[in-house]
Amino acid sequence: MAKKSYQGPVRLSDLSGDHVKKASADQAKRPSQQKEKPRPAQDLVQAAQALKAKKLDQKPQRPGTDNDQEKSEEAGLSGEITKIEAQKRRKHRFNIYLNQSYAFPVSEATLVKFALAKGQVLSAERVGEIQAAEAAAQAYQTAVNYLSHQLRSEKEIRQRLQRDDWPEGVIDQTIQRLKELRLVDDLVYGQSYTRTAMRLQKKGPGQIQRKLKEKGLSESIIQQALEEYDDQTAQDNIEELAAKRLKQQMRKYAQRDSEQRTVRYLMQKGFDSDAAKQAVQRASQDLVDDDLEDDKLDQQGQKYWRKYRRLDPKERYFKVKQQLYRRGFEAGAIKQWLDQEMEKEEG
């Protein structure tokens, strides 16, 4: 078979028109290898802002977070009620459809209050009134649920509703309604808290006063509430706490140190400093055991005597004396113990 002789490279001009069209088509089918130019940073920022705005527009709003009546009028939310649908997951809640489109949800109470029914035509102003009433009803229900566990002060309820982003107008309306129903009364709350704190928790008047102030009660109401704390109960509480605390402290510390620690504890509980000192003195008279105090002094003294055994006698004496005094032992008892130990060392 004869071989074809080499005729040199083929030029585009030598190809027929069909060959050129086919080559161009094949080249067009190939994926472009040219990299896409990076978008400027400003374009990326604008795109991100647009996406964020779109998400915010799609986020459902809580009824009553704005002036619903003005909002409904501006949006033109009005028309004929074409459907009232019970919600599947929440009992006593209904979805209202206007002109075949979902419009807003309502509670059963709002449904009955405004006598909403299929075929009824609602103006934008009427829709605003319905949504405002629905917001007030939901805020009220939130407050009632919050009160179902225990009594609350007005400040606590206000903070609870603010946590759900209810507008101040709705919050004020809710609190006013609760006051009218006597579900919120700061004086009743303060008196109840005082009785519970003094009987069960043995808190002093000062601590109760600070707590009621944190709850938002006025000074005049706090003083009225503290009248529930009678003198006899205060005396019984401080005596009981002083005896119990001092006994615990004296197992670990010297008498003077234990007394000081107990006084500080009683003051933290809300009792007056003078009353605390007197209660501790009385408790100390009943609890102090001289033999027990001597045993604790000897125990602590031996520990420090061994710790500083490598010091010269004079410095050792001073170091141990200093440590025992810090532990609350009497200076005379410390000197007597150290003198005995020095005699043992010399003997």
Side-chain angles (χ1 to χ4, degrees):
M1 183 176 180
K3 295 183 179 179
K4 293 183 178 180
S5 60
Y6 176 70
Q7 298 179 358
V10 179
R11 292 176 297 180
L12 185 61
S13 58
D14 297 335
L15 297 175
S16 63
D18 294 338
H19 287 88
V20 174
K21 291 180 180 180
K22 184 177 180 181
S24 301
D26 292 341
Q27 187 175 5
K29 290 180 180 179
R30 295 175 185 173
S32 176
Q33 297 181 354
Q34 185 178 2
K35 293 184 179 179
E36 184 180 355
K37 293 183 179 180
R39 299 174 65 182
Q42 186 176 3
D43 292 346
L44 294 175
V45 172
Q46 292 177 353
Q49 292 176 346
L51 180 60
K52 182 178 180 181
K54 183 178 180 181
K55 289 182 178 180
L56 290 175
D57 291 339
Q58 294 175 350
K59 185 177 180 180
Q61 298 293 324
R62 175 187 293 279
T65 53
D66 294 310
N67 189 318
D68 292 307
Q69 187 169 351
E70 294 180 1
K71 190 174 179 181
S72 298
E73 291 175 358
E74 292 175 1
L77 187 60
S78 61
E80 180 184 352
I81 299 178
T82 54
K83 184 180 179 181
I84 299 178
E85 177 185 53
Q87 294 185 2
K88 296 180 180 179
R89 296 186 178 182
R90 301 178 65 185
K91 294 182 179 180
H92 311 297
R93 299 284 300 171
F94 299 86
N95 296 327
I96 304 299
Y97 289 77
L98 298 179
N99 302 328
Q100 305 298 333
S101 299
Y102 170 77
F104 52 86
V106 295
S107 64
E108 185 176 13
T110 303
L111 190 74
V112 174
K113 178 180 179 180
F114 289 88
L116 300 178
K118 186 177 179 181
Q120 185 178 0
V121 178
L122 301 178
S123 64
E125 182 180 1
R126 188 61 169 172
V127 170
E129 293 175 0
I130 294 171
Q131 290 184 321
E134 179 63 18
Q138 287 191 36
Y140 174 76
Q141 190 59 48
T142 299
V144 170
N145 292 339
Y146 188 54
L147 283 165
S148 63
H149 304 288
Q150 64 183 57
L151 290 176
R152 307 283 184 178
S153 67
E154 179 180 336
K155 180 182 178 180
E156 288 180 300
I157 296 174
R158 185 175 294 276
Q159 290 176 337
R160 175 63 184 86
L161 295 176
Q162 288 173 343
R163 199 169 69 199
D164 285 349
D165 295 327
W166 292 108
E168 288 301 318
V170 173
I171 294 175
D172 292 339
Q173 181 182 353
T174 301
I175 291 178
Q176 182 60 36
R177 183 180 177 186
L178 293 172
K179 286 182 176 180
E180 292 172 356
L181 296 173
R182 302 191 68 180
L183 295 176
V184 173
D185 189 322
D186 277 356
L187 178 57
V188 173
Y189 172 84
Q191 291 172 335
S192 176
Y193 181 88
T194 301
R195 289 192 296 268
T196 301
M198 74 178 184
R199 292 173 183 172
L200 300 181
Q201 301 170 334
K202 309 296 182 183
K203 291 182 178 180
Q207 190 177 27
I208 294 176
Q209 183 177 12
R210 291 192 296 270
K211 194 67 176 180
L212 293 179
K213 191 172 183 179
E214 291 176 4
K215 297 295 184 179
L217 275 65
S218 65
E219 190 61 34
S220 60
I221 291 180
I222 291 175
Q223 294 304 319
Q224 293 181 61
L226 287 175
E227 292 177 1
E228 298 289 317
Y229 208 139
D230 60 280
D231 295 338
Q232 186 59 50
T233 302
Q235 186 66 29
D236 293 342
N237 285 347
I238 196 171
E239 295 285 351
E240 179 181 344
L241 291 172
K244 183 178 180 180
R245 187 72 174 188
L246 183 61
K247 186 176 181 179
Q248 293 174 348
Q249 296 297 314
M250 290 187 67
R251 293 172 183 169
K252 300 182 291 184
Y253 306 102
Q255 178 183 350
R256 187 184 64 180
D257 196 14
S258 298
E259 291 175 353
Q260 292 174 349
R261 289 172 178 269
T262 304
V263 169
R264 289 197 297 269
Y265 166 75
L266 293 175
M267 292 176 63
Q268 290 173 357
K269 290 286 288 185
F271 294 98
D272 179 74
S273 60
D274 292 336
K277 291 176 182 178
Q278 294 174 8
V280 170
Q281 288 177 359
R282 289 190 292 269
S284 181
Q285 293 174 359
D286 298 333
L287 293 175
V288 169
D289 187 335
D290 293 336
D291 293 335
L292 179 61
E293 189 73 7
D294 292 341
D295 291 341
K296 286 190 292 185
L297 174 59
D298 184 64
Q299 181 183 4
Q300 295 294 325
Q302 292 294 342
K303 182 178 74 172
Y304 292 118
W305 192 252
R306 290 191 299 270
K307 180 178 180 180
Y308 299 114
R309 63 182 180 275
R310 296 184 179 180
L311 301 178
D312 63 80
K314 186 176 181 180
E315 187 177 1
R316 184 185 188 187
Y317 184 98
F318 175 77
K319 284 285 188 180
V320 174
K321 179 181 179 180
Q322 187 180 46
Q323 291 293 341
L324 292 176
Y325 189 77
R326 288 177 178 175
R327 298 289 292 182
F329 294 102
E330 295 293 336
I334 295 173
K335 183 178 183 304
Q336 182 180 358
W337 185 88
L338 285 171
D339 291 343
Q340 292 175 356
E341 291 300 314
M342 291 295 291
E343 290 177 2
K344 292 178 183 178
E345 291 287 331
E346 293 174 357

